[in-house]
Amino acid sequence: MLETVLTCLIGWLLLAASSFRIRRDLGLTKGDARWLRVAGVMVLTAGLWRCGAPITGERWVRFLGAAGIAGVATVLILSAAPLPRLRRR
């Protein structure tokens, strides 16, 4: 399950990097964002197919659990950068 969480975390980070604000901060173009989205979806799909369960409802439950954990971790990672700036004031 840990590898599914890490795979989903990478997928969510790729999808987050294709958002407007982060893309602008990274200096990427709209075409680059499309490839980031495609890569993010492919990584999430790989996480679904490699989550360590046979093709049943258990696979979906494991994938959704791992994607949820990775989603929370992604939000925490992306919101951690403003904290040091706020503490300096």
Side-chain angles (χ1 to χ4, degrees):
M1 181 99 172
L2 179 62
E3 65 273 0
T4 307
V5 172
L6 294 176
T7 303
C8 290
L9 179 66
I10 292 169
W12 288 130
L13 287 173
L14 286 170
L15 288 174
S18 68
S19 71
F20 175 74
R21 182 178 62 91
I22 297 173
R23 185 184 63 186
R24 181 191 64 208
D25 293 344
L26 292 174
L28 299 173
T29 63
K30 211 174 203 180
D32 295 333
R34 181 180 323 129
W35 291 112
L36 284 172
R37 274 189 221 108
V38 168
V41 169
M42 288 176 62
V43 168
L44 286 172
T45 304
L48 171 64
W49 292 114
R50 301 291 301 163
C51 66
I55 301 178
T56 60
E58 183 182 356
R59 176 178 282 190
W60 286 99
V61 170
R62 283 186 182 200
F63 174 72
L64 291 175
I69 293 169
V72 170
T74 302
V75 170
L76 290 174
I77 289 169
L78 293 178
S79 64
L83 292 178
R85 285 184 280 198
L86 291 174
R87 288 185 187 147
R88 288 185 196 157
R89 292 182 184 182

